[in-house]
Amino acid sequence: MIELYTWGTPNGRKISIMLEECGLPYRVHKINIGAGEQFAPEFIALNPNSKIPAIVDAEGPDGKPITLMESGAILVYLAGKTGKFLPQSVRGKYQALEWLMFQMGGVGPMFGQLHVFLRRAEPVPYALERYTNEKNRLYGVLDRRLGEVRYLASEYSIADIATYPWVARHDFHKTDLAAYPNVKRWFDAIFARPAVARGMAVPA
Ligand SMILES: N[C@@H](CCC(=O)N[C@@H](CS)C(=O)NCC(=O)O)C(=O)O
């Protein structure tokens, strides 16, 4: 049984989608980040960075428990554990890792900052302009890539699983997917996966 510490945000949902896709049994522990539960000492013992998601796998490497933070590292771990959603070919594997890092270093942090500034009652025009431009630029990169390949690493992988929950917030960050037809085609294909629907509904 894997213990998943999460909340209803894109970084948390990457992991519930992956667990559902892999068919791994897991138990959900809600960490209410709005109420500051990520700063509780019991949670800091799991993630010294005070952010969701984190997991504890009682059956980790060598049959011993492992605790992990950082959604990208957790996805790589679960792919290694199950042999799923990380291409077997060397080229495919590095393409998946490349687009996973693009999500971790670009899409996640930039969309995340835009969400912060969109939520503010008092607008900060410079920040809104900066992160909107960066969000649009990143959508352009995704759209060009997905015009060449069906999924970010050619086959459905942890790179798509990491990116999907952020694109699923497209209404909130004021993006019409019709402007990015390749992203829209990719988004609709992933939306239709039953495991993705289940993972996006976590935590209940
Ligand atoms: N790089 C981290 C980012 C995690 C992250 O930013 N989590 C947010 C929710 S999506 C969080 O816990 N925020 C609480 C806080 O910043 O206090 C990851 O991918 O796991």
Side-chain angles (χ1 to χ4, degrees):
M1 177 69 80
I2 292 179
E3 311 296 332
L4 170 62
Y5 297 81
T6 193
W7 193 240
T9 65
N11 286 321
R13 287 180 172 150
K14 293 173 190 175
I15 310 306
S16 41
I17 290 173
M18 180 66 172
L19 289 163
E20 292 288 344
E21 289 280 19
C22 294
L24 286 168
Y26 66 104
R27 191 164 25 222
V28 174
H29 304 263
K30 291 186 196 174
I31 302 297
N32 183 341
I33 59 174
E37 290 177 6
Q38 69 274 35
F39 302 111
E42 311 85 73
F43 185 69
I44 292 175
L46 301 175
N47 183 345
N49 194 31
S50 289
K51 291 190 190 289
I52 64 94
I55 64 162
V56 179
D57 182 2
E59 289 165 35
D62 308 322
K64 295 188 188 128
I66 185 169
T67 302
L68 286 172
M69 63 169 180
E70 285 295 326
S71 57
I74 297 170
L75 290 173
V76 171
Y77 170 73
L78 294 173
K81 181 181 174 81
T82 59
K84 291 179 176 169
F85 305 115
L86 190 58
Q88 297 290 317
S89 74
V90 175
R91 186 176 299 274
K93 174 179 147 182
Y94 287 114
Q95 281 178 342
L97 292 176
E98 174 183 51
W99 287 96
L100 175 67
M101 299 303 156
F102 171 81
Q103 189 289 315
M104 292 296 294
V107 171
M110 295 301 122
F111 288 20
Q113 289 302 311
L114 179 56
H115 292 178
V116 167
F117 287 104
L118 283 169
R119 256 187 237 112
R120 267 182 71 107
E122 216 169 281
V124 182
Y126 175 77
L128 278 171
E129 188 190 347
R130 172 176 163 75
Y131 292 115
T132 298
N133 288 344
E134 188 58 6
K135 178 265 296 175
N136 290 339
R137 194 189 67 77
L138 290 164
Y139 267 104
V141 175
L142 286 172
D143 202 58
R144 281 192 297 281
R145 173 69 177 164
L146 292 166
E148 293 161 0
V149 286
R150 191 155 170 240
Y151 292 106
L152 289 170
S154 300
E155 66 187 76
Y156 181 62
S157 76
I158 53 175
D160 304 292
I161 292 172
T163 307
Y164 174 85
W166 284 98
V167 175
R169 292 271 165 106
H170 58 91
D171 279 341
F172 183 72
H173 54 240
K174 303 183 196 297
T175 300
D176 183 357
L177 291 190
Y180 304 99
N182 302 309
V183 174
K184 171 95 172 84
R185 189 255 319 139
W186 166 92
F187 181 81
D188 289 346
I190 298 178
F191 177 85
R193 296 177 72 92
V196 170
R198 291 195 301 274
M200 288 294 285
V202 173

